[in-house]
Each structure stands twice: as structure tokens, then as C-alpha cells.
Amino acid sequence: MSHELKTGGDRGYLRIATEEAFATREQIDCYLRMVKDGTADRGMVSLWGFYARSPAERATQIIERLLDLGEQRIRHMDETGIDKAILALTSPGAQPLLDVKEARGLAQRANDYLAEQVAAYTDRYVGMATVAPQDPEWSAREIVRGARELGFKGVQINSHTQGEYLDHPRFDPIFRALADTGHPLYIHPATPPDSMIGPMLEAGLDGAIFGFGVETGLHLLRLITSGIFDRYPDLQIMVGHMGEALPFWVYRLDYMHQASVRAQRYERMKPLKKSILEYLRTNVLITTSGMAWAPAILFTQQVVGEDRVMYAMDYPYQFHADEVRTHDTLDIPLATKKKLMQTNAERWFRL
Ligand code: 1DF
Ligand code: MN
């Protein structure tokens, strides 16, 4: 595999990468301060204690690339044939900040900065809003500002907020704002909360290697089983990393969910209008971030449908030209590949 990677659609499709991260200096400084003053949770100490302080090449290079929304990033997109990047403030955004006012400020300044950079490179960048779910009403207003004033096309939330999940009724204003704007919600991973991270951290499995996926898959499953899509039938939730493994689990999830509901085993587990598989096929969108692997991509297309799987690179965390080539050379019809690489993103982000 060694074909040249060019932008401009020479293979019959553009490449739109849908889970691309940036950071602000304020954000990194804030994480470092939390690591030092002991207010960071164990996941932040592990993840950002590493990226913000380690002299390892992976750490220093990723910080430098996260902070750049200018010429270097565009050059890297050109070199790997990425026509457009859908950008979001890197995880965990403003969500771990204990001071809600500071969290709102950090999120708002990141959104303003992103909007400026998108305006500077309109044909290459698309923005997603970041919020501070600690303040759901403010977040709802920021989602609307993102849609109406900043030109954003979606909203990214980095999984749990200080151990709380979006199925909690207090986050309902966020879902109302998503319904009002028609924006998709991208649930991006974060390190697991202190209540969950212990045995993972002990084994070095808390981060993107495993903990991210387990915790984010749990988050989506909590939302589905809480009936979120019965309350918001038009809501579209995106998740990366091949659906955080839920497509692989879904037969068993449906079997055991239905068994629990019928037996009335859990007070909160109420009957739903559809099966979990049906929600995956109507309300969930999946990206290939971090999973440039043909068997997983083809399997997921088969489970959720070829209209619901979208390409993502996960720059700068996983930046490899050969992973783009893996997508280019999938043994699927060109029409299906074009959906994967371009038109599904255009459709679901309304580009
Ligand atoms: C990592 C991976 C970090 C992903 C990320 O955000 C991230 C990592 C802090 O490798 O530490 O977005 N990822 O999505 O795979
Ligand atoms: Mn990511």
C-alpha cells in the first residue's frame, strides 16, 4: 500500500476527517495547574500529567500539534489527503473544572478561537462547539450561539462530567438545545471517573487503549436505555472508535436488556420503543477514529448500515498516512466508500 495521497478528490471522493482535536494554551495550563494542586481526578493526572509534562516525543509532539490550527496542520492534512477536518476542543474540554465560571470562560474562549480559525480556513475546517455541562442552561445557550453565530455544525461532549452522565435529568437543557439547532452530539471519550478507573489505571489501561472506549460505550448505553431517543427521536449521537464496541455487543445487549425489562429487575430500566440495534440504526453515527482496520469497518457498516459510518483520523493522536490508505483500499464499492469518506459527513453535519 503506497499510493500517493492528494486532496481534491482524485479517487472519486473527498476525505472528511470527523474527530480531529485541538487545544488552547489556557486549557493545557489549567490541566497542569489541576494536576499540581491536587484537584485533578486520577484520569487527568494519568493523561494530562503525561502529555503536558513528559519529555517523551509522543507527548511534546502532540501538544505542539494540538496547539496549532495554522499552517502546520494544513500541511499535515495536505500530506495525508485530508480535504476537511471537523475540529473539536480536545478531551476533556472544560468538563473537569471545579469552578463553573472558569469552565464557562474556558469553553467560550475556545469556541471563539475555533470560529476565528475556521473563518481563516473555511474550505478546510469545520467546527464543533464545546460546552461546560456543569452548567446545563449556559451550555444550551452556547450550543445555540455556536449554531447561529459561530457557524459550528455540531457539539462535542467528552463523556462524563465529574462522574455524571448525560442521562441525568439535569442535563436536559442540552438535549433541548440540540433539538432546537438540529445539531448532532459527538460523545468523545474521556478517562474514566475515579469511581471506575482503579483496576484500569493499575494496569496502564485507563486511556485510549481501553478505558476511553469502555467508559464512552457505557455512556451511550446509559443514554439509550434511559430512553433518550424515545424523548428526542430526531437526535443523532456520534461516537468514535467504531462505536466504542457497541456494534459487536449489540445482540447480547438486546437479549439481556429485554430479559431485564420483562423481569422488571431494575426500577430505571423501562421498556423502550425500539431495540438497541434499531437505535444504533436510526440515531447513532459511528466514526472510524483509531480503528483503521478493515474487518471492524466492514462489520460495523453491516451492523448499522453504510450511511452511518464515517471516516475519522483522530489527529494528532493517531496521525498515519497508511491508515488513510487502509480506508482508500477497502474492498467495498466506490459508492459505499464515498459515503464513508465524504458524503455521510456532509449529510450528518449538514455541510
Ligand atoms: C488520546 C486518544 C487522547 C484520543 C485523546 O484526547 C483522544 C490518547 C485527549 O491517545 O491519549 O481524543 N482518541 O480519541 O483516540
Ligand atoms: Mn479523539
Side-chain angles (χ1 to χ4, degrees):
M1 245 191 342
S2 62
H3 61 272
E4 209 187 325
L5 297 173
K6 290 189 222 158
T7 58
D10 64 319
R11 296 182 74 90
Y13 48 84
L14 300 177
R15 298 187 194 85
I16 304 178
T18 55
E19 189 195 303
E20 315 308 308
F22 77 98
T24 62
R25 177 49 73 187
E26 175 188 8
Q27 173 191 20
I28 308 277
D29 287 348
C30 173
Y31 293 171
L32 252 180
R33 188 191 80 219
M34 292 178 72
V35 168
K36 286 186 191 144
D37 72 13
T39 54
D41 70 0
R42 300 179 73 194
M44 180 179 290
V45 174
S46 172
L47 189 75
W48 287 99
F50 169 66
Y51 284 118
R53 290 195 304 195
S54 168
E57 192 189 3
R58 176 168 173 83
T60 56
Q61 194 172 63
I62 280 178
I63 294 287
E64 185 212 326
R65 290 174 179 178
L66 281 169
L67 291 170
D68 170 58
L69 281 176
E71 291 309 316
Q72 173 175 271
R73 184 177 295 247
I74 298 291
R75 181 159 37 79
H76 285 161
M77 289 169 63
D78 290 342
E79 285 166 8
T80 48
I82 304 302
D83 294 279
K84 276 184 211 280
I86 302 190
L87 296 162
L89 187 68
T90 202
S91 178
Q95 292 166 241
L97 276 62
L98 301 179
D99 180 333
V100 179
K101 187 159 172 271
E102 188 188 5
R104 289 191 299 251
L106 189 149
Q108 187 176 86
R109 284 184 288 277
N111 287 333
D112 290 340
Y113 167 64
L114 178 58
E116 274 168 32
Q117 296 309 113
V118 171
Y121 300 96
T122 35
D123 51 335
R124 307 304 296 279
Y125 292 162
V126 174
M128 279 196 275
T130 196
V131 293
Q134 302 92 314
D135 185 339
E137 292 288 353
W138 179 85
S139 295
R141 289 195 296 277
E142 190 66 358
I143 288 169
V144 172
R145 187 177 79 100
R148 309 225 167 113
E149 292 171 35
L150 303 180
F152 292 160
K153 300 293 185 181
V155 178
Q156 176 167 301
I157 293 183
N158 306 292
S159 201
H160 73 93
T161 300
Q162 298 171 35
E164 282 196 317
Y165 290 85
L166 291 169
D167 52 273
H168 193 290
R170 85 185 198 91
F171 297 116
D172 196 59
I174 291 175
F175 290 101
R176 274 192 279 113
L178 291 166
D180 291 344
T181 57
H183 273 191
L185 171 65
Y186 203 119
I187 302 186
H188 184 281
T191 45
D194 284 351
S195 54
M196 182 181 186
I197 201 170
M200 296 186 195
L201 187 57
E202 187 182 280
L205 297 172
D206 51 300
I209 186 173
F210 188 70
F212 271 28
V214 171
E215 199 270 344
T216 308
L218 169 71
H219 197 157
L220 179 54
L221 202 50
R222 285 186 62 120
L223 281 165
I224 294 173
T225 57
S226 78
I228 193 78
F229 297 123
D230 291 345
R231 277 179 283 129
Y232 294 99
D234 296 327
L235 174 65
Q236 296 294 329
I237 295 185
M238 301 176 170
V239 282
H241 318 100
M242 239 56 259
E244 312 296 2
L246 293 192
F248 196 82
W249 276 95
V250 71
Y251 179 87
R252 183 169 173 79
L253 291 172
D254 265 325
Y255 183 94
M256 290 299 171
H257 179 254
Q258 280 156 29
S260 289
V261 168
R262 243 182 278 116
Q264 299 184 308
R265 177 169 169 183
Y266 299 98
E267 160 68 11
R268 77 160 251 164
M269 201 169 260
K270 301 271 172 23
L272 300 174
K273 289 189 180 152
K274 296 179 185 172
S275 69
I276 296 170
L277 175 59
E278 286 174 293
Y279 292 117
L280 294 186
R281 296 178 66 91
T282 50
N283 296 97
V284 174
L285 298 158
I286 289 176
T287 81
T288 67
S289 52
M291 289 286 265
W293 191 43
I297 298 170
L298 302 186
F299 171 79
T300 305
Q301 285 180 324
Q302 192 183 334
V303 174
V304 302
E306 65 182 38
D307 291 348
R308 295 194 161 267
V309 183
M310 302 183 286
Y311 170 66
M313 174 180 276
D314 207 7
Y315 183 90
Y317 296 103
Q318 208 161 326
F319 175 49
H320 299 289
D322 272 342
E323 294 190 347
V324 180
R325 294 189 180 99
T326 295
H327 288 78
D328 283 343
T329 55
L330 286 171
D331 188 15
I332 51 177
L334 177 60
T336 308
K337 206 173 288 178
K338 185 167 179 165
K339 287 183 180 182
L340 174 72
M341 303 305 289
Q342 175 185 351
T343 54
N344 287 343
E346 289 171 343
R347 172 180 174 190
W348 296 112
F349 285 100
R350 300 194 194 155
L351 303 185

